[in-house]
Amino acid sequence: MAVTAVIGAQWGDEGKGKVVDILAERADLVVRFQGGNNAGHTLVVDGQVYKLHLIPSGVVQGKVGVIGNGCVVDPFVLVKEISDLKARGITPQLRISDRAHLILPYHQAIDKAEEEAKGAAKVGTTGRGIGPCYADKASRIGVHAGDLLHPKRLDEKVKQNVALKQALLTALGSKERLDAAATLKALQAVTPTLQPFLTDTVQLLQAAAEAGESILLEGAQGAMLDLDHGTYPYVTSSATASGGMCSGSGLAPRQIGDVIGVVKAYTTRVGSGPFPTELSLEKGPGEVMSRVGAEVGTTTGRKRRCGWLDLVVVNHAVNLCGINQLAITKMDVLNGLHEVLVCTAYQMPDGRKLTHIPSDLDEFAKAKPVYQSFAGWKDLGDGTWESMPTEARKFLQFIREKTGATIKFVGTGPGREQTVVVR
Ligand code: GDP
Ligand code: IMO
Ligand code: MG
């Protein structure tokens, strides 16, 4: 099957960008189907570090990147990302869905004002206007990327929305003053850069799939941040799991073949919400994960929360997304630990032992991890499965057994070549 999907199987930042970069070598098209510049995907190629937010991670391999209809696009961020890459000698080949929704300055203002209004209950969003933009889409007042090519329509929509949003902001106590004319002028300035890329990407992808071209779907965020299936309300506002692959690209379920789940050898989370295996970042293994794993958010620079690998979480993603292959990243970060723990179930206060994520958030917040202990490993050998120490292989084989998915890649460092391909 010509369509392969790469999905984050935890709370994001699993290393999807690196895995997509590797797989992109054999792809014709690399497609983002949800999310926006809340994503931060870091690629390390020949010692060069690339931090991508909106442009699909096949760009360094020179592949055509498609920003699908399920994405939300901040046109100003996108234009900057294009020019930053050009300055480094990479000219992105892009196709942007005319039905993707635009993130406009009022979305960021509302994101900020709503978070402030929530106080201690804040989601800890990236502040990029993601939620308010998807909310407008659902409210049927969103602005399509294709509207950039219809100045009259754009003018009407932006003016109407600015009036609505100003009322909301004022009610929330925000001092922010929105300026429709300034937004329209700024949009006019970026339109010539984006215009050549705007197209009906659904037709494009259907034709490519029909012609047997190799299509790679690149997930952003992770399954636990899915709007329906994640730890609501501490989630992002799009379908990061299987639903998004089809609705956000226009491909049909039957067209999707392998689904590769990207799993960090431990767990991280940015923002608020329950996290059963969370550790202190100040001492012990949590400190090692944070420091050695350089666990700082690519988008916001916040310290990521860290904890042991949670297979209840991973299996939630495996089941939701139909993951049949795994890429286990950042194994090297655990090098040198005497003991490595893996959560296999949750002990609940009422005595029940669960192997699924409770649908009620308060209940999930009370889940205590049940751990299986593994002996640690010193290093990961010379880049082959055979050279990996028995301890590391036991840990990986356990993940394989518990998930039922085959392990395709093991990450041994951030570089493209620091990857064990398991045959
Ligand atoms: P994404 O959002 O899922 O693409 O992940 P991020 O790029 O936000 O975070 C993953 C971080 O880990 C990046 O800085 C990568 O360069 C880095 N990384 C990916 N795989 C590995 C690995 O196997 N080992 C180490 N040490 N770093 C890795
Ligand atoms: P990548 O693609 C990790 C988190 C935020 C917050 C919640 C909602 O790099 O894995 P939003 O701004 O989306 O409304 O924030 O989701 N979040 C991410 N966490 N990696 C990401 O992307 C994330 N994108 C959003 O921290 O908790
Ligand atoms: Mg990231």
Side-chain angles (χ1 to χ4, degrees):
M1 190 112 36
V3 183
T4 302
V6 176
I7 297 286
Q10 293 155 314
W11 275 285
D13 304 324
E14 298 89 350
K16 299 175 286 294
K18 174 180 162 177
V19 172
V20 169
D21 168 66
I22 292 170
L23 291 167
E25 190 182 357
R26 295 195 185 169
D28 297 303
L29 297 159
V30 182
V31 186
R32 280 277 307 268
F33 54 87
Q34 47 69 229
N37 58 313
N38 46 347
H41 300 172
T42 303
L43 278 53
V44 183
V45 180
D46 298 331
Q48 294 283 314
V49 180
Y50 301 91
K51 290 182 188 291
L52 303 169
H53 296 286
L54 261 168
I55 295 181
S57 299
V59 68
V60 181
Q61 298 269 20
K63 298 306 165 90
V64 175
V66 178
I67 298 180
N69 59 278
C71 295
V72 286
V73 176
D74 184 323
F76 310 109
V77 170
L78 180 55
V79 163
K80 175 151 192 325
E81 201 165 318
I82 294 169
S83 76
D84 287 353
L85 281 168
K86 277 191 177 164
R88 297 178 69 179
I90 296 175
T91 301
Q93 295 186 65
L94 286 179
R95 307 286 182 270
I96 305 167
S97 168
D98 52 5
R99 290 173 74 89
H101 280 250
L102 291 183
I103 301 180
L104 295 173
Y106 49 81
H107 291 125
Q108 288 131 20
I110 289 170
D111 197 349
K112 188 165 162 256
E114 284 183 342
E115 283 283 273
E116 276 169 14
K118 283 178 187 160
K122 72 173 185 201
V123 175
T125 71
T126 59
R128 300 302 191 261
I130 305 295
C133 183
Y134 277 115
D136 280 3
K137 175 178 175 177
S139 297
R140 294 154 296 181
I141 56 168
V143 180
H144 278 141
D147 292 337
L148 288 172
L149 308 184
H150 300 277
K152 190 165 169 286
R153 198 195 295 167
L154 183 72
D155 198 270
E156 278 167 15
K157 284 191 176 184
V158 169
K159 282 181 179 153
Q160 192 178 38
N161 280 338
V162 161
L164 270 172
K165 306 302 174 186
Q166 186 64 69
L168 176 60
L169 284 168
T170 308
L172 284 169
S174 164
K175 298 266 177 290
E176 187 89 27
R177 285 289 159 263
L178 301 174
D179 183 343
T183 298
L184 285 162
K185 195 168 167 215
L187 286 173
Q188 230 174 26
V190 293
T191 297
T193 307
L194 300 179
Q195 180 162 12
F197 304 135
L198 288 167
T199 189
D200 180 344
T201 55
V202 175
Q203 293 305 318
L204 175 104
L205 289 172
Q206 283 292 351
E210 184 75 14
E213 286 184 34
S214 171
I215 300 173
L216 198 54
L217 297 178
E218 173 179 1
Q221 290 77 54
M224 290 299 281
L225 290 169
D226 184 274
L227 182 58
D228 277 86
H229 302 288
T231 43
Y232 191 92
Y234 302 106
V235 292
T236 191
S237 299
S238 63
T240 60
S242 46
M245 296 179 210
C246 294
S247 68
S249 67
L251 291 166
R254 268 204 272 225
Q255 289 174 300
I256 296 172
D258 289 325
V259 181
I260 303 175
V262 186
V263 175
K264 203 178 274 193
Y266 48 99
T267 311
T268 60
R269 170 160 209 181
V270 196
S272 324
F275 179 177
T277 64
E278 184 167 19
L279 295 167
S280 160
L281 299 185
E282 305 303 317
K283 58 180 191 325
E287 189 274 333
V288 173
M289 292 165 189
S290 173
R291 174 175 45 83
V292 181
E295 294 297 351
V296 175
T298 315
T299 302
T300 56
R302 290 179 289 181
K303 261 195 173 191
R304 294 173 182 151
R305 299 157 69 193
C306 297
W308 293 116
L309 177 65
D310 185 340
L311 287 183
V312 184
V313 161
V314 173
N315 272 326
H316 187 58
V318 166
N319 295 336
L320 282 173
C321 306
I323 290 168
N324 64 333
Q325 298 181 349
L326 295 173
I328 312 291
T329 62
K330 303 192 99 161
M331 276 289 282
D332 54 300
V333 173
L334 304 181
N335 286 359
L337 293 178
H338 290 298
E339 184 190 34
V340 174
L341 300 185
V342 177
C343 168
T344 55
Y346 300 139
Q347 185 65 57
M348 303 307 293
D350 60 9
R352 283 174 308 148
K353 205 166 156 185
L354 301 183
T355 51
H356 67 272
I357 306 283
S359 56
D360 184 274
L361 192 80
D362 289 345
E363 202 181 359
F364 185 42
K366 291 182 196 138
K368 294 273 173 280
V370 176
Y371 286 118
Q372 171 116 359
S373 164
F374 290 83
W377 51 89
K378 282 199 177 62
D379 60 65
L380 292 168
D382 63 12
T384 59
W385 174 260
E386 292 70 28
S387 70
M388 237 185 249
T390 319
E391 292 81 2
R393 279 197 270 169
K394 272 194 180 158
F395 171 85
L396 292 167
Q397 271 155 350
F398 184 72
I399 299 174
R400 190 207 145 112
E401 250 170 60
K402 288 284 174 192
T403 58
T406 53
I407 297 179
K408 197 175 162 78
F409 298 118
V410 179
T412 59
R416 185 192 274 170
E417 69 298 340
Q418 290 174 297
T419 309
V420 177
V421 181
V422 185
R423 297 193 198 280

